[in-house]
Amino acid sequence: MVVHDIQASSLNDIVFFTMSKSGKVEKIQSIRGMNDLVGREASRWGAWEQTIRRVLKSFHYQEIRTPVLEKTELFVRGVGGESDIVHKEMYTFLDRSEESLTLRPEGTAPVVRALIQHHFHLESGGNRVFYFGPMFRYERPQKGRTRQFTQFGIEFFDDPTPMADAETLILVQTVFNELGVMDYTIHLNSIGDAESRELYTKELKNYLNKHQGDLDEDSRRRIETNPLRVWDSKIESTQEILTGAPKISDFLNKESREHESRLQSLLKAAGVSFEMNPKLVRGLDYYSKTVYEIQGNSPALGSQNALGGGGRYDDLVALLGGKPTPAVGFASSFERLSLAIPDRDEKRRSGAYVAFVGEETSLQDEAIRILGLLWGLGVRATADYTKKSFKSHLKSADRTSSRYALIIGGDELAKKEIQIKDLESGEQVPCPLSSSLRELEEWVQKSDLS
Ligand code: AMP
């Protein structure tokens, strides 16, 4: 059933129509390109987030959280009206007071908006921030490309030096190494400062005008509105024309050239390998000087091989109404990383499973008391309260990858003890069950429950 066919006068009507047409309750599916994350994949992502947070902390980055909704003009001004993102991909709507709002398609413009609004870099002394969160782009969904995707990103403000650019790339390399992403190449380019780009844009425009007839429609329009964005075209014939086009690297002014060559030396000094890629311009208007993209080399990535991207954006803060502030940043998505991080299915057992064998409430009392102790001690512990037989409890202990089963049965309870079974070695030992659970606590202290 297609809900937009319904002239629903109220939300209740939608519910009524969707439920009653076929006479049975229809299942509601998630929105195309917006995926649920469950089970193993969800825990993989959780572990990556922890790893990334650890690295970011060691680089002195502080967390920032901004809303998922922003005023539309933030992205039109920040990312650029001629970018694919703004032109074709944003989720934009009028709210109930007719204000145009947009689900954020990227994280940098909102962070810059927050910087201008709160001057947080001055107040907290933190000019390096990171974020995690969902972004939204109406793209054609495929492997590694979704309409809601989860990015982590960093922004480093107030530092115009190439050392700041180098730091972000060292950070990216450290994060990727820690996550186990191995086979990737850092593509680097400079698109120069505003002065260099002005010069270049004129030349590019002349060249493109000569080849107008062979360009796709979007690119033809962009010759006038924003020629640099023609480089973003995915149309093969347009890319062919671009092979003969002037390159931005030949138009860099002295400052931009020096910035770029210094960055290259710094990266070499830090042992970060990279390749210069004169075709790389990145699809967002706010970049200046340094741009980079991390491309995975595995053929399994297909066309979605951009694992992350970033660069310098010295003019964005002023463009959005703040005082001129140099900045550099990077972002990557978990959807892309999940294609590049090897899935080591480590089923390592850890923690304890509490098995109470029987239906007496005294067994339940003991089980919950023991679980309370374990959780209080920070031990990974669980139980399945619906199981009653020893066999079914052992199955649950296996399913939950528990290392030990703590078995409470009627006989054991009468003897004031429990049995502790090591599910790895099969060894089983009794443990006294005093009212203070002191012996169990001692067992926890000396056992490897991690
Ligand atoms: P961009 O802002 O387009 O440079 O994107 C930065 C990074 O976000 C890319 O390198 C990808 O890792 C990721 N990304 C962008 N768009 C998507 C998407 N539709 N689905 C999944 N990841 C994405």
Side-chain angles (χ1 to χ4, degrees):
M1 147 148 299
V2 186
V3 172
H4 63 73
D5 280 343
I6 301 167
Q7 291 298 308
S9 58
S10 74
L11 294 176
N12 280 341
D13 286 351
I14 293 181
V15 175
F16 176 77
F17 275 111
T18 54
M19 282 185 68
S20 64
K21 189 155 183 217
S22 63
K24 62 175 194 244
V25 178
E26 291 187 15
K27 289 183 203 146
I28 300 171
Q29 303 287 339
S30 64
I31 299 165
R32 186 166 131 80
M34 304 203 178
N35 301 332
D36 301 311
L37 195 66
V38 291
R40 227 186 110 50
E41 195 61 3
S43 47
R44 261 168 42 99
W45 285 34
W48 299 338
E49 183 169 334
Q50 275 181 20
T51 303
I52 297 167
R53 280 179 184 276
R54 179 169 46 74
V55 176
L56 292 170
K57 206 170 150 199
S58 67
F59 276 78
H60 276 245
Y61 280 72
Q62 295 178 356
E63 183 162 18
I64 178 165
R65 299 186 193 214
T66 64
V68 288
L69 273 179
E70 296 277 356
K71 293 183 180 176
T72 302
E73 63 184 278
L74 174 67
F75 302 109
V76 177
R77 250 205 276 168
V79 178
E82 271 304 327
S83 63
D84 277 348
I85 295 177
V86 172
H87 197 66
K88 318 178 186 162
E89 298 169 359
M90 293 205 306
Y91 282 86
T92 297
F93 61 94
L94 294 179
D95 74 359
R96 284 164 198 263
S97 44
E98 306 272 297
E99 180 163 32
S100 179
L101 303 179
T102 293
L103 277 167
R104 62 181 179 194
E106 61 97 52
T108 300
V111 170
V112 169
R113 197 247 331 118
L115 174 99
I116 297 166
Q117 200 169 330
H118 308 294
H119 307 288
F120 61 72
H121 60 314
L122 302 177
E123 277 162 24
S124 64
N127 58 345
R128 295 165 168 92
V129 292
F130 71 88
Y131 58 84
F132 283 91
M135 306 293 158
F136 303 84
R137 294 185 194 173
Y138 194 82
E139 293 189 90
R140 199 165 47 78
Q142 53 179 260
K143 201 169 86 171
R145 188 165 75 193
T146 49
R147 289 180 173 171
Q148 174 174 329
F149 55 99
T150 304
Q151 268 191 347
F152 85 91
I154 55 163
E155 315 293 351
F156 181 174
F157 294 104
D158 266 342
D159 191 327
T161 72
M163 294 194 82
D165 309 33
E167 178 183 297
T168 64
L169 275 160
I170 298 169
L171 188 154
V172 172
Q173 181 171 281
T174 312
V175 166
F176 277 31
N177 284 350
E178 291 289 309
L179 291 173
V181 183
M182 293 301 170
D183 198 9
Y184 63 87
T185 306
I186 296 174
H187 290 251
L188 185 67
N189 194 21
S190 172
I191 59 165
D193 59 8
E195 186 188 88
S196 315
R197 278 198 308 281
E198 202 183 317
L199 226 96
Y200 171 65
T201 310
K202 264 192 208 140
E203 286 298 315
L204 181 64
K205 215 164 155 175
N206 284 342
Y207 175 84
L208 293 172
N209 267 325
K210 281 188 217 141
H211 296 84
Q212 270 224 31
D214 300 322
L215 294 174
D216 62 278
E217 197 189 317
D218 272 349
S219 300
R220 268 203 302 277
R221 192 190 63 249
R222 284 167 165 170
I223 298 178
E224 284 313 313
T225 53
N226 190 343
L228 202 61
R229 294 276 67 86
V230 175
W231 283 99
D232 302 338
S233 171
K234 310 223 165 42
I235 311 287
E236 221 170 279
S237 51
T238 298
Q239 281 301 329
E240 253 167 52
I241 302 285
L242 285 169
T243 49
K247 303 276 181 301
I248 180 82
S249 46
D250 297 326
F251 292 81
L252 300 184
N253 61 12
K254 186 164 175 282
E255 197 197 318
S256 302
R257 236 188 2 258
E258 281 174 5
H259 187 98
E260 205 43 42
S261 70
R262 189 71 202 110
L263 173 60
Q264 289 186 35
S265 311
L266 288 164
L267 291 176
K268 281 175 196 151
V272 176
S273 30
F274 59 90
E275 272 177 23
M276 292 310 291
N277 179 349
K279 291 175 87 175
L280 185 72
V281 293
R282 311 262 303 121
L284 300 87
D285 275 1
Y286 52 61
Y287 286 112
S288 61
K289 295 184 180 162
T290 310
V291 288
Y292 56 84
E293 193 163 273
I294 322 300
Q295 293 180 7
N297 299 328
S298 156
L301 293 168
S303 59
Q304 302 310 303
N305 67 344
L307 302 179
R312 181 161 277 286
Y313 51 94
D314 290 344
D315 305 319
L316 182 61
V317 182
L319 184 74
L320 293 177
K323 86 174 184 8
T325 307
V328 54
F330 165 83
S332 170
S333 77
F334 281 38
E335 283 76 4
R336 292 289 158 84
L337 288 175
S338 78
L339 303 178
I341 300 175
D343 188 2
R344 293 185 209 94
D345 190 5
E346 283 173 6
K347 273 247 161 88
R348 208 176 66 85
R349 289 177 178 278
S350 68
Y353 177 92
V354 177
F356 53 100
V357 186
E359 296 192 33
E360 297 90 320
T361 52
S362 56
L363 294 170
Q364 296 174 1
D365 291 351
E366 235 15 273
I368 214 83
R369 197 161 79 95
I370 290 173
L371 279 164
L373 173 90
L374 296 171
W375 289 326
L377 293 171
V379 174
R380 175 181 184 264
T382 190
D384 188 334
Y385 309 122
T386 64
K387 299 284 184 280
K388 291 176 181 89
S389 76
F390 182 61
K391 216 171 133 191
S392 57
H393 271 304
L394 281 190
K395 267 194 196 151
S396 292
D398 256 348
R399 206 171 33 79
T400 53
S401 307
S402 302
R403 168 76 192 268
Y404 295 96
L406 273 46
I407 305 153
I408 316 162
D411 294 348
E412 281 84 9
L413 212 54
K415 283 196 266 173
K416 290 214 172 312
E417 64 175 36
I418 59 167
Q419 292 291 324
I420 298 179
K421 189 177 172 69
D422 184 337
L423 297 168
E424 230 164 58
S425 66
E427 220 173 276
Q428 189 166 315
V429 290
C431 175
L433 195 63
S434 63
S435 55
S436 67
L437 294 178
R438 184 175 48 81
E439 295 84 353
L440 190 57
E441 193 169 338
E442 279 167 10
W443 172 78
V444 168
Q445 311 296 7
K446 64 179 196 312
S447 305
D448 175 21
L449 283 146
S450 60

